[in-house]
Amino acid sequence: MLLAIPALRALRRQQPANELVVAAQPRIARLLETLGVVDRSLDFELLGLDSLFAPEGGGSEHEWPARCGEDLRRAARVVAWVGSREPSFVRRLTALVPGSIVAPSVGAGRPVWEHLVGTVGATADDRSIRVPVCMPATLGDEARRELVHRGWRETHRLLLVHPGAGGRAKRWPASGFAAVLERLAALGRLAIVIHQGPADAEAVAGLPEPLIARAIVLREPPLPLLAGVLSRVAAYLGNDSGISHLAAALGVHGVVLFGAGQLAWRPWAEHVEPLVVSLTAPQESDAARVTAELASLLA
């Protein structure tokens, strides 16, 4: 969903008089609404899309329109990045809402965000759809109070580290993170914030205990609070993950780590350049490059 922000902006421009609604996993959908990317958010499950996937024919065939959610039935236009391989779904959705777009969420040969922009008939050359998302001042203020409460001295620069990822194969070894953070400690006046999401306990536990003890550890914070914290940091370090994409979308300068085969998932923000590292075993050269990039951002 974060990679879809440029496409959502293009949709808003195409139909500025219409309300832009996103249906997704509730936490991320509400965050996009809070950040002003969309006008309203919905829980994806409330659309009733399951009825559009029912087998062709059968006694329930005539019932599917009534089983869809009201928001779907009265939409002026629908863009669905699901169901493109199911002919019955495509037929029913386009019959329910004429002019709907049903497209795969990933395209071959170009970054995912560019593919999503293309599915709505827009061009990735429009740089205005790639500007960072504005952070509401209230979220930044709440984050500052939380960080101070947890011991942050505002004279210290903040580095937020997210060592986790949606899958273990996308995670840089914990020893790589540890090596970089130990070297950056020599800069002085630097506070480390470690973020632990719902699937990141193992990744965080892999960091040295003394390092964790010195850091501010945010364990599963609400996404709006995390967004506010990201707006306060001087630099960011993380794997290819939703948190890294959130940091990039908010305009945070940092280092996002990718395996060589994952670059299609790179952030859309122009100020972020992915850094390709070995994800199977720590390499001294990788740690040196990551340290140098972050040191330049923190200088």
Side-chain angles (χ1 to χ4, degrees):
M1 281 309 308
L2 291 167
L3 286 173
I5 287 176
L8 293 171
R9 287 169 163 170
L11 284 169
R12 188 191 290 277
R13 292 184 182 180
Q14 291 170 5
Q15 298 185 332
N18 287 349
E19 181 185 41
L20 180 60
V21 182
V22 65
Q25 194 273 343
R27 291 176 72 237
I28 185 63
R30 287 194 296 268
L31 178 66
L32 291 177
E33 180 180 356
T34 299
L35 295 176
V37 175
V38 298
D39 299 313
R40 186 161 58 90
S41 63
L42 289 173
D43 182 342
F44 182 82
E45 298 297 331
L46 297 180
L47 293 182
L49 289 180
D50 56 321
S51 64
L52 304 186
F53 285 96
E56 296 280 5
S60 61
E61 175 69 16
H62 65 284
E63 301 174 356
W64 62 261
R67 293 169 59 191
C68 294
E70 181 181 353
D71 284 281
L72 185 63
R73 293 198 306 271
R74 58 189 183 85
R77 187 184 185 191
V78 173
V79 177
W81 290 307
V82 297
S84 62
R85 296 182 179 180
E86 298 291 335
S88 61
F89 173 82
V90 176
R91 177 182 63 80
R92 289 165 176 162
L93 181 59
T94 52
L96 184 67
V97 186
S100 293
I101 296 171
V102 184
S105 59
V106 179
R110 56 178 171 170
V112 172
W113 75 266
E114 284 191 20
H115 163 74
L116 296 175
V117 168
T119 64
V120 302
T123 173
D125 295 332
D126 182 358
R127 299 177 69 177
S128 64
I129 62 175
R130 300 176 65 187
V131 298
V133 175
C134 293
M135 168 65 61
T138 53
L139 293 185
D141 291 341
E142 179 186 357
R144 183 191 64 79
R145 291 192 295 269
E146 178 67 18
L147 289 166
V148 170
H149 175 71
R150 289 171 174 261
W152 175 45
R153 298 169 61 183
E154 295 184 69
T155 55
H156 286 49
R157 295 157 296 175
L158 285 170
L159 169 64
L160 192 142
V161 180
H162 179 69
R168 182 177 297 181
K170 298 198 300 181
R171 293 190 337 221
W172 197 36
S175 59
F177 284 97
V180 169
L181 296 178
E182 290 296 343
R183 295 174 190 184
L184 291 175
L187 296 176
R189 304 178 78 85
L190 179 66
I192 305 297
V193 179
I194 298 173
H195 173 260
Q196 177 180 313
D200 302 326
E202 181 184 20
V204 172
L207 298 173
E209 183 58 37
L211 192 157
I212 296 176
R214 297 195 303 267
I216 298 171
V217 182
L218 298 178
R219 290 187 169 87
E220 302 186 34
L223 283 181
L225 175 61
L226 177 60
V229 171
L230 285 167
S231 74
R232 292 279 175 179
V233 305
Y236 172 87
L237 171 62
N239 300 303
D240 172 23
S241 65
I243 304 307
S244 294
H245 288 293
L246 177 58
L250 292 172
V252 180
H253 290 271
V255 177
V256 182
L257 307 172
F258 282 78
Q262 300 169 343
L263 286 176
W265 297 89
R266 62 187 298 159
W268 50 261
E270 292 186 284
H271 68 279
V272 176
E273 187 65 30
L275 194 64
V276 175
V277 296
S278 171
L279 300 178
T280 56
Q283 303 288 335
E284 167 57 29
S285 58
D286 288 342
R289 288 188 297 131
V290 173
T291 302
E293 290 284 346
L294 289 171
S296 68
L297 295 175
L298 293 166

